[in-house]
Amino acid sequence: MIRPRRPERKAPPLLPPLKLYKAILRTHVHKLPIELRSLGDEYVKAEFKAHQNIDNPLHIVGFLTQWQDYLKNLDGGSWQEGKLSQEDLDKMSPEQVNQLYELMLETKRLGSEG
């Protein structure tokens, strides 16, 4: 018996960088607690600025995909339960792990102040 093929689930199309950037900042206003908003905004601005001259298409797609996933998680409210898997950590460069550690320290500091 031949089974009908299920339609493949396509990933949503990637937003252009500027549109994605603006959508993230707008979502921060509505979804992040005020204590975390400025930290989140500064991080997004720094990351987009650091990656604005990337030429490698694979890096561009990866960057935009990750930020679009972040936007989806942020908009859906699942960002608060988000955890990184060991596999995700293993894929990170030492600089990225250090950045993540500094971000964790800063959010803890902001949490203790509030």
Side-chain angles (χ1 to χ4, degrees):
M1 178 175 172
I2 298 176
R3 293 183 181 174
R5 286 187 68 170
R6 284 186 255 160
E8 291 182 29
R9 290 180 58 191
K10 290 184 180 179
L14 289 175
L15 294 172
L18 187 57
K19 192 171 187 176
L20 179 59
Y21 173 78
K22 288 179 179 181
I24 292 169
L25 293 178
R26 270 193 312 272
T27 304
H28 279 181
V29 171
H30 301 290
K31 300 290 182 171
L32 287 183
I34 192 122
E35 315 83 53
L36 296 178
R37 194 173 309 148
S38 64
L39 179 66
D41 287 352
E42 291 304 314
Y43 185 75
V44 170
K45 289 174 186 178
E47 283 296 300
F48 272 76
K49 185 174 184 176
H51 290 83
Q52 69 185 5
N53 295 322
I54 299 296
D55 293 339
N56 185 326
L58 291 176
H59 290 168
I60 294 168
V61 169
F63 178 81
L64 294 176
T65 300
Q66 290 297 314
W67 280 106
Q68 195 156 312
D69 288 347
Y70 167 77
L71 178 61
K72 181 180 172 188
N73 289 333
L74 188 64
D75 206 26
S78 62
W79 65 275
Q80 293 171 325
E81 297 91 34
K83 295 187 190 251
L84 285 174
S85 68
Q86 186 61 46
E87 182 181 331
D88 289 337
L89 284 172
D90 291 342
K91 291 179 186 176
M92 291 182 172
S93 70
E95 294 83 18
Q96 289 172 318
V97 172
N98 188 46
Q99 242 185 339
L100 188 62
Y101 179 72
E102 289 175 9
L103 183 62
M104 180 197 70
L105 293 177
E106 183 65 17
T107 54
K108 283 186 175 186
R109 185 186 67 75
L110 288 172
S112 66
E113 288 177 1

